[in-house]
Structure formats: structure tokens, C-alpha cells
């Protein structure tokens, strides 16, 4: 029942309008429709924002499978989800851009890539280009939103973080570094409303021409040995993996040793 | 010095005895290794002296080793030079078209992903032998070049770059996708390359490439891992890329903008290219950035997963002063790792174990303290860039693997290092 309590507490005149773009995911093992992992993280991020009015937006067809998946998002504690009806194989960009352009939310949150279809991750970029809003990718958290400027925490590889400031309205994408989505509760998921909206539709004309097949295992890269003589071939085959050419400091005082290590650490830029 | 030639029977004996440790150096000294066996005769015919081939073995019998090993002492530096020169120099003066590549250059160096991508670009450029294209690399020179590596030293020419646009400026530092995108658009306007190739790597080419595709109104092919020639396609190529979170393969005609995965092609190994610098005719227009980079955030290194930590300080059996070790890790801002012995003895938790039975790490710098380097441990650190070893035993396997090894007492070296880092930080603070 906790999500509904949250709902009551939330003031109606909340300042920040947040739209979360959600899609229908695909379970990697069973292949069933589910909430997409990154989109669910995006919803979680939106729900943790202070004084935000969150709307969920999905463009696509409504059938039995996708309804189950979409209700998964409602089960996270939201009363309604806006569904822009688009048939299978449509290009949803126009419909989404139109809806977002009319609603003018301050912050649009999306996952990085879809788990079905092309999954190119282009949609947020195309929306940003179309609407002329800035886009920040790979978000870990939104630290604060003040005076139309959001302070964001971007996830870098190797567990590092970077702080960014972006002027709103903006589009942000969430990656796997953001906090995990809360569990979806069954009751609120059943009670939540899916409000359908009609919108103009354009077909995606390029996609039917492509050949889509289940992912093949990529061939492993072979070590190519370019040897001119038997000796070189033998050496390549029998070679032990060795770094080689390392510098060894023997009989150095601890200070000299520390100096050498310090220089290397500085060169690599790992010291902060 | 007199003109009399003096024989040194001992050296002659060493020269005959190829098992002697000084054999090669003595051979070099006596000049026997260099005896000419082949030369160009006066009539332009190659002449051979069969008697100069080979060497006299330990029993006075002449041996001929056709593997080339016997010239090892001499040939070693020569062979290395030859290997370098064996790359064919290729200069393309009048390219029929351009293939633009935007390498990531993480830390100012070409990553293996960048090299693969340049290999892919070469495939596209060299497909038609009569009308070859040129590979144009667009490099943002401000890219975290803390290592001090200069652009020439990056080896772009060896990686297959014909033309180079180095864009310099503070505007490109840090996370500046808008400025970079504007620069790429300027390159597009000026040179109109036929292909745009970017690595599909997180926060590098993946971000920039998608922005570029959206700006150019091109539908990019993402996560591409294979290309094949195809006459029916518009650009003459067909590509295969991953779709739907990596669970499907999409085969399609190659579009103009391609985001390729690592190992999409073989890196360039046989040729060397000019990497001739080009410049944009017009300066880039000033740009009001809407995204501001406030710099990196200090992350608790202990909270970073070991497998993706950048800098690991790892302890083994040789560490006796554990207080000092933890303190050093804290001061250096390193993630702590351990060898199996340290974990088994209860000094470190199990999830910190590095190696085949623990975590396979990918650190940029791996500082191994008192670890002798069991083969399982060395497997675990295979993909580390730089390994630094502090150890008492100069003969251990870790020293052989290490890029920098310091022989000595671990505790005192770590203490000296900590002191040095702290002093440096204080100086910086005073200066600021």
C-alpha cells in the first residue's frame, strides 16, 4: 500500500513535470514480455525525485502481452499510464515528439536501448534533435533540480561518476548504473489505468527490408601468426605469455622505489 | 696499439662453443657472425660463399642452422628494425572518397577498439584497388591527455590513418558532446566523407555517433560486427549488427553512419600510412553549451566492483603490515585486492580475491605488493594495462610480468609512497 500513501502526500502544485518513456521489455531467458530493465530504472529515478509529477508514456500496440508488461510499471506506484496507440512496425518518433511537444515536460527520462526490435538506442537522440532539447546519456542519479537547472550524476565506465549541469527541459537516459527498480506490486498494477491516446502514424519503411535472425555467436578472434621461418612459427606456438621489457629496480632505497612508482601512477593518471 | 693481430684462444673456443653463455657476444666481437655469405657480383648476379655459412660446432664439426637463430646476437636489434620496416608505406595522394573515423582515444591512447575500427575503415577504403579512399581520423586533442602522449606517439599512421584532423581547444575537454558534435558537423560540411565510423563504446563513440546520426538525419547501423561487400546495396556493402539488446542479428545495407563493436575487423598490421594533417578552413562557430561538466566526483574506491576498478592495490603473502597497507590504499585512492594466500589466511575478505578462482580484473594500473605471482593470479590480471610489483624476490613470476618492479621491503616502500603522495597533495593545496 506504500505507493498509494506516497501519492496522497504529493502536493498537486508540484513544480517539476517529469515524463518517463517506457517500453515493453523482453526477458533474456524466457523471451516473455516484461518491464524493460532500464526503463524501470528510469521510473525508479523519477519516483525518487522531490516534488515531481511523473507521467508514464508508451507508444505502441496494446495486446495481452504488452499490457502485462506495462502494468508492471503501474505496479511501481503510479496511478496511470498514457498509451499512444501505434501498430506494430510503426515509427513512433513522430507520435512521441508530438505528444512531448504538446505536454512540454521539464525532464524526459528514457532507458538507453529497447530490449526488442532494432534496439539502436536512437530514439532519445532523435527526440532531442527534433525538440531541440539537450540530452545527457548514461545517468546514475539526479542530484537536484533548481531554477530550471538539473544537477546530474553520470556513470562512467569503471564505476566512476561525473557531475553535470544541464538546463531544462532536457532528455536524459538511464543506464544500468542507476539504482535498481522497486518491485512491482500486483494490486496497484491491476488498479492502474491505461489511458489510450490516438496519434498520427508513420510506417517504418526501412525495417521490413532487413534480415533479422537470432543472434549468432560471434567468431572468436584468432591469433594470426605472421612467421617467415619455422623457428618463428615454433616460437609463436610455444611462447609463454610474458610482459617482457619491464623495468626492474634492484638495490633501490624505498624512496627511490616509491619515486619510480609515483611517476608511473602520475603518468597513468590514476592518482587524484 | 700495434698492428699485429693477436689471437685469443679462449675467445675462439667460446666462439666455437655455442652453448657458452658468452657465445653470441664473443661472436659479435670477433666479427664472425657478420661474414658475408651473399653479395652482388660484378655482373649483377648474386654470389654465395657456401663456406661462410654456418659455424663450427663444439666438436669441431661444421653446423648449419637454417632457422636463423645463430645470428641471434647480432640480428636481434636488426630483426626488430626489420620487422618495423617490413610495414609497407602507403601514401594516398588523390583519394576517391573519405572514410571518417572518430576514435575514442581513452587516456590519449588508441584502444584496441579504435584499432579494430580503423581496420574496418581500411577495408572500406581499400576495397577498390584502382580508386582507393583515404581514412580520415578526427581527433579531439584535448582528450584527457594527462599521460603526455603526443599525437605522433599515438601511432595513428601505423593504425591506418591517411588524413588527420586534430581539433584542439578547451571546449572539447571533459563531457562536451555539443561542441564535439558541432566540430563533426563542420567536418561533414567541409569534406563530406562517404562513411562515418565510430566505436559503439559507452560514453565515447556510442553517444557521439548517435548524436551525429541524428544531426545528419541518417539512420545509423549500431552494434555492427561484420561487413561484407554487396553489389545491390547503395554504398556497396552490407553489414550485420546486433539488435534487441544483443539477442538478434540484423543484416542490412551499410548506411553512412556506422557504430561498430570491438573486434569488428582486424587491425592494420602490414602497412603504414601518412597521417597527414588537415585543417578546417573555417574556425568553429562559438557555441553556447547547455550541458556543463562539473568534473569527476570522488567515488569511494572500496565501493567499486573489483572487476571494473581502475587502480588496484593488491596484497599477498609478503604483506606483514596490514594497517599500513589499508592506509596506503586509502591515501592512493585504490581499490583493494588480494591474492589467494592473503584471503585464505583471513586478512582480506573472499570477494577481494584476484585471480582465476576469484575475480578477473581489468585495471589500468595493478600494484601488486608482496605477490609472487602464481599462474592463477597472473591469469586474473591478464587484461591489466600496467602492472607494478613490489617484492623481495627478484626471480618471481610477478616481476617477469610487471612493467615496473621494485625489489625491497613492501612496508617501507609503501610508507615512502604514501608520504610522497601526501606531500605532493599538500604542495598542491598550498599552491592553490
Amino acid at each position: 500500500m506504500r505507493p498509494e500513501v506516497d501519492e496522497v502526500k504529493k502536493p498537486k502544485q508540484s513544480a517539476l513535470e517529469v515524463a518517463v518513456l517506457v517500453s515493453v521489455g523482453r526477458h533474456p531467458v524466457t523471451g516473455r514480455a516484461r518491464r524493460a530493465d532500464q526503463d524501470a530504472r528510469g521510473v525508479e529515478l523519477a519516483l525518487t525525485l522531490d516534488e515531481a509529477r511523473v507521467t508514464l508514456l508508451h507508444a505502441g500496440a496494446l495486446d495481452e502481452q504488452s499490457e502485462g508488461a506495462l502494468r508492471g510499471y503501474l505496479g511501481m506506484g503510479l496511478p496511470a499510464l498514457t498509451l499512444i496507440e501505434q501498430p506494430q512496425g510503426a515509427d513512433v518518433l513522430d507520435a512521441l515528439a508530438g505528444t512531448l511537444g504538446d505536454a512540454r515536460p521539464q525532464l524526459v527520462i528514457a532507458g538507453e536501448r529497447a530490449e526488442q526490435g532494432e534496439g539502436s538506442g536512437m530514439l532519445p537522440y532523435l527526440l532531442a534533435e527534433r525538440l531541440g532539447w539537450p540530452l545527457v546519456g548514461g545517468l546514475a542519479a539526479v542530484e537536484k533540480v533548481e531554477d530550471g537547472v538539473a544537477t546530474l550524476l553520470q556513470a562512467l565506465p569503471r564505476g566512476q561518476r561525473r557531475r553535470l549541469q544541464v538546463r531544462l527541459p532536457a532528455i536524459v537516459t538511464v543506464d544500468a548504473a542507476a539504482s535498481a527498480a522497486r518491485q512491482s506490486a500486483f494490486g496497484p498494477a491491476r488498479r492502474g489505468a491505461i489511458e489510450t491516446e490516438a496519434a498520427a502514424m508513420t510506417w517504418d519503411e526501412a525495417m521490413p527490408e532487413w534480415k533479422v535472425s537470432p543472434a549468432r555467436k560471434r567468431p572468436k578472434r584468432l591469433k594470426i601468426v605472421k612467421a617467415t621461418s619455422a623457428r618463428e612459427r615454433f616460437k609463436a606456438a610455444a611462447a609463454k605469455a610474458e610482459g617482457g621489457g619491464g623495468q626492474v629496480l634492484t638495490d633501490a632505497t624505498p624512496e627511490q622505489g616509491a619515486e619510480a612508482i609515483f611517476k608511473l601512477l602520475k603518468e597513468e593518471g590514476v592518482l587524484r | 696499439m700495434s698492428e699485429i693481430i693477436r689471437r685469443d684462444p679462449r675467445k675462439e673456443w667460446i666462439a666455437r662453443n655455442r652453448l657458452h653463455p658468452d657465445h653470441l657476444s664473443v661472436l659479435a666481437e670477433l666479427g664472425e657472425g657478420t661474414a658475408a655469405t651473399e653479395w652482388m657480383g660484378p655482373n649483377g648476379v648474386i654470389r654465395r660463399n657456401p663456406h661462410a655459412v654456418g659455424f663450427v660446432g663444439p666438436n669441431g664439426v661444421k653446423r648449419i642452422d637454417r632457422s636463423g637463430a645463430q645470428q641471434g646476437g647480432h640480428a636481434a636489434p636488426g630483426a626488430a628494425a626489420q620487422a618495423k620496416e617490413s610495414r609497407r608505406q602507403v601514401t594516398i595522394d588523390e583519394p576517391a572518397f573519405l572514410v571518417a573515423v572518430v576514435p575514442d582515444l581513452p587516456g590519449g591512447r588508441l584502444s584496441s577498439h579504435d584499432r579494430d575500427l580503423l581496420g574496418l575503415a581500411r577495408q572500406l577504403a581499400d576495397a577498390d584497388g584502382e580508386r582507393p579512399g583515404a581514412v580520415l581520423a578526427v581527433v579531439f586533442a584535448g582528450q584527457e591527455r594527462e599521460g603526455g602522449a603526443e599525437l605522433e606517439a599515438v601511432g595513428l599512421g601505423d593504425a591506418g590513418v591517411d588524413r588527420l584532423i586534430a581539433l584542439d581547444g578547451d571546449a572539447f575537454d571533459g563531457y562536451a558532446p555539443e561542441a564535439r558534435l558541432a566540430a563533426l558537423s563542420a567536418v561533414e560540411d567541409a569534406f563530406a566523407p562517404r562513411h562515418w565510423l565510430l566505436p559503439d563504446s559507452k560514453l565515447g563513440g556510442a553517444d557521439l555517433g548517435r548524436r551525429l546520426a541524428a544531426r545528419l538525419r541518417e539512420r545509423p547501423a549500431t552494434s555492427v560486427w561484420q561487413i561484407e561487400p554487396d553489389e545491390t546495396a547503395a554504398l556497396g556493402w552490407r553489414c550485420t549488427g546486433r539488435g534487441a539488446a544483443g539477442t538478434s542479428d540484423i543484416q542490412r545495407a551499410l548506411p553512412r553512419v556506422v557504430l561498430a563493436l570491438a573486434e569488428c575487423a582486424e587491425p592494420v598490421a602490414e602497412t603504414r600510412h601518412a597521417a597527414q594533417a588537415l585543417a578546417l578552413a573555417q574556425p568553429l562557430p562559438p557555441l553556447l553549451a547547455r550541458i556543463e561538466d562539473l568534473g569527476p566526483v570522488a567515488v569511494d574506491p572500496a565501493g567499486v566492483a573489483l572487476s571494473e576498478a581502475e587502480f588496484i592495490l593488491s596484497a599477498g603473502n609478503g604483506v606483514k603490515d596490514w594497517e599500513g597497507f589499508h592506509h596506503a590504499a586509502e591515501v592512493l585512492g585504490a581499490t583493494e585486492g588480494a591474492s589467494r594466500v592473503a584471503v585464505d589466511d583471513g586478512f582480506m575478505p573472499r570477494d577481494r580475491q584476484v585471480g582465476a578462482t576469484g575475480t578477473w580484473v581489468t585495471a589500468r594500473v595493478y600494484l601488486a605488493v608482496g605477490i609472487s605471482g602464481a599462474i592463477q593470479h597472473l591469469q586474473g590480471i591478464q587484461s591489466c594495462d600496467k602492472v607494478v610489483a613490489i617484492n623481495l624476490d627478484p626471480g618471481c613470476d610477478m616481476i617477469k610480468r610487471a612493467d615496473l618492479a621494485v625489489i625491497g621491503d613492501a612496508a617501507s616502500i609503501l610508507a615512502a609512497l604514501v608520504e610522497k603522495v601526501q606531500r605532493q597533495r599538500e604542495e598542491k593545496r598550498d599552491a592553490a
Side-chain angles (χ1 to χ4, degrees), chain A residues 44-249:
Chain A
E44 175 69 38
L45 182 69
L47 288 174
T48 50
L49 287 177
D50 282 342
E51 301 195 347
R53 194 153 75 221
V54 181
T55 48
L56 298 182
L57 205 55
H58 173 72
L62 187 68
D63 52 34
E64 200 178 322
Q65 276 223 322
S66 67
E67 187 180 348
L70 293 177
R71 286 198 178 277
Y73 295 109
L74 291 174
M76 294 173 75
L78 287 148
L81 177 145
T82 311
L83 176 91
I84 306 166
E85 279 218 88
Q86 299 275 302
Q88 198 77 38
D91 187 354
V92 299
L93 176 67
D94 289 335
L96 275 179
T99 311
L100 286 177
D102 293 341
R104 299 207 70 79
Q106 296 261 279
L107 191 63
V108 179
I109 302 177
E112 243 171 18
R113 290 178 197 202
E115 295 178 6
Q116 287 188 338
E118 189 186 357
S120 67
M122 277 302 286
L123 181 81
Y125 292 90
L126 290 170
L127 279 176
E129 191 71 25
R130 177 78 68 90
L131 298 168
W133 296 351
L135 180 141
V136 178
L139 226 61
V142 174
E143 288 194 320
K144 63 174 184 235
V145 181
E146 268 178 8
D147 310 329
V149 175
T151 310
L152 313 169
L153 215 54
Q154 191 182 38
L156 302 182
R158 304 195 167 281
Q160 303 297 311
R161 298 279 186 271
R162 178 155 63 188
R163 192 168 285 134
L164 301 173
Q165 259 184 359
V166 64
R167 222 165 303 153
L168 300 180
I171 300 182
V172 297
T173 64
V174 172
D175 85 339
S179 51
R182 65 187 69 178
Q183 204 170 355
S184 175
F186 184 71
R190 284 292 296 264
R191 284 193 292 278
I194 295 183
E195 297 156 2
T196 42
E197 249 180 44
M201 197 267 295
T202 36
W203 288 107
D204 180 356
E205 269 147 25
M207 191 136 176
E209 291 168 15
W210 302 344
K211 221 160 66 190
V212 181
S213 53
R216 245 184 316 146
K217 208 169 173 200
R218 287 180 63 182
K220 217 171 177 183
R221 174 176 275 181
L222 299 174
K223 209 166 84 186
I224 298 173
V225 180
K226 290 199 190 79
T228 47
S229 68
R231 184 186 162 77
E232 275 172 45
R233 272 196 297 280
F234 175 74
K235 264 170 78 180
K240 262 204 282 183
E242 257 182 51
Q247 183 197 357
V248 181
L249 293 181

Side-chain angles (χ1 to χ4, degrees), chain B residues 171-195:
Chain B
F172 303 121
D173 281 352
Y175 186 67
E178 292 168 314
R180 290 183 182 199
L181 177 62
L184 292 188
S185 308
V187 171
E188 162 76 17
D189 291 341
F191 298 100
R194 185 184 287 183
H195 303 275

